[in-house]
Amino acid sequence: MKILQKVLDDCIKRNPGEPEFHQAVTEVLESLEPVAQKHPEWVAAGIFDRIIEPERQIIFRVSWVDDNNVVRVNRGFRVQYNSAIGPYKGGIRLHPSVNLSIIKFLGFEQIFKNSLTGLPIGGGKGGSDFDPKGKSEGEIMRFCQSFMTELYRHIGENTDVPAGDIGVGAREIGYMYGQYKRIRNEFTGVLTGKGIPWGGSLARKEATGFGLCYFMNAALRDRNESFEGKTVVVSGSGNVAIYAASKATELGAKVVAMSDSNGYVYDPEGIDLDAIKQIKEVERKRIKEYISYRPNATYTEGCKNIWTIPCDIALPCATQNELDLDSAKTLIANGCKAIGEGANMPSTAEAIAYIQESGILFAPAKAANAGGVATSALEMSQNSMRYSWTFEEVDAKLKGIMENIYKNASAAAKNYGMEGNLVAGANIAGFEKVAQSMYAQGVAY
Ligand code: NDP
Ligand code: 2IT
């Protein structure tokens, strides 16, 4: 890197102790070096220095009372990263590992992902170190209400529109939406991932997983391949994983393994998704329960070794850095031909370098998992129109968006002489639109 090395060095120095954030920024700036060379006017306008700095970062106290009447305190975050092309948009994550580094890496990636969708949404992310595991329904509700009691003043349908992420699904969005409405006294599309009877979009729940498979299908088609007859391993068993597994199965593949943070199940006859949904969506239990539904399946404690199961296609759909160099080597040695990232930044930088060198298809998160936020933007459109589309209408739009993202990321890679490199292609295609917009809007003196 010639032009952008200093931008990266300064960023790392200025944001100490934020490894996930450094990882995300390093990857993006490395891919953008040829763009900086081609656009000296963007360098002169400080676009690169500005895009890595969040427009606004909000950190707040969330206090709530547990079932034993004990006062508990968590930390809430909302990073409003970039609003050049639309209101800040991105999920809220509830997980004990949440800290500023994680929210910033997610918010930063969201800028480019949202731009890739072709829809008018800026980038943002939020969350808390609250651990939903083992909490009662009442505790979840009181936490979500308290979280929104602070967050409401920073968001709005034209300002910042949060949604779900790890630990946040329709239940949590419901509690947050109720509290927003109570405080503001307005019924507005301020959150997405809402329940269908109160302004949610059909197919939003399925969108990230379905979108991942639509993206992979387009990329496989370009290589005269498809899901038909393939063996697939999906990590995670949450929202993204379940609907990725469902669409992969519908497209003719056999999903043989899924996981949670405790371990993984291997079912050589093909995962029974109704059983997974019952365990995870209805009962909110651990994946090891699966073996009581399927006697021929096995459960292994520890989630990392899921990548030792031979497969044609691997879809990491759990969390960041879940697929490291060793896992990448094992997958490829076992014959894996394609990896599609459903989670955000699930592969380490070393794993990505190895996978790309091997020449197999690698679909990066920013492009491949953009279907969730794209459908959130469709939910915003429907809310603005006070109207709703059918499942089939939303699903068809989602499919078109994912195919377009594949086309645009491939074209950008080719334009810059890196044909087939979807990491560079997605970063460049996502960046260009935001850069043009920031440039056009000028710098405030
Ligand atoms: P869920 O909370 O529904 O599911 C998360 C799954 O990942 C669970 O199986 C969980 O296991 C597992 N998991 C979470 N954290 C860890 C960890 N530290 N180590 C191992 N496993 C873990 O979340 P989603 O399915 O919504 O999100 C999954 C990924 O997809 C995340 O990276 C998220 O950012 C990304 N994503 C989500 C979108 C969405 O629309 N929801 C859109 C685009 C990306 P356990 O139950 O044991 O915690
Ligand atoms: O990472 C993501 O894109 C999401 N969690 C979805 C965000 C959204 O606003 O739907």
Side-chain angles (χ1 to χ4, degrees), residues 89-91 110 113 125 161 163-165 192 204 344 369 372-373 376:
K89 181 86 197 83
Q110 201 83 42
K113 182 198 302 193
K125 200 85 186 189
V161 183
D165 192 78
T192 60
R204 173 62 188 90
N344 284 308
N369 76 23
V373 76
S376 277

Side-chain angles (χ1 to χ4, degrees), residues 306-324:
I306 191 171
W307 305 122
T308 62
I309 298 171
C311 63
D312 301 306
I313 300 172
L315 302 176
C317 295
T319 194
Q320 65 274 355
N321 293 326
E322 55 163 313
L323 199 163
D324 62 10

Side-chain angles (χ1 to χ4, degrees), residues 6 21 65 271 324 342 373 390 401 430:
K6 188 174 176 325
F21 178 58
V65 179
I271 291 279
D324 62 10
V373 76
T390 63
I401 290 168

Side-chain angles (χ1 to χ4, degrees), residues 35 42 47 51 82 84-86 111-121 408 426-441:
V35 182
W42 289 351
I47 300 290
I51 205 164
N82 192 295
I85 65 168
I111 304 170
F112 308 98
K113 182 198 302 193
N114 293 4
S115 165
L116 281 168
T117 66
L119 300 166
I121 39 179
N408 291 340
N427 288 337
I428 293 169
F431 171 78
E432 284 188 328
K433 213 171 82 180
V434 180
Q436 280 163 14
S437 308
M438 290 173 72
Y439 189 72
Q441 291 168 25

Side-chain angles (χ1 to χ4, degrees), residues 50-67:
R50 285 194 277 147
I51 205 164
I52 56 172
E53 184 69 15
E55 290 176 16
R56 197 171 296 104
Q57 308 181 51
I58 302 145
I59 303 183
F60 51 99
R61 183 183 67 198
V62 186
S63 41
W64 55 283
V65 179
D66 72 16
D67 288 346

Side-chain angles (χ1 to χ4, degrees), residues 289-303:
E289 304 287 333
Y290 183 80
I291 51 176
S292 65
Y293 289 78
R294 302 273 286 185
N296 292 337
T298 54
Y299 173 72
T300 307
E301 196 71 24
C303 51

Side-chain angles (χ1 to χ4, degrees), residues 326-338:
D326 278 350
S327 310
K329 285 183 176 168
T330 309
L331 276 170
I332 291 169
N334 285 339
C336 178
K337 296 179 213 57

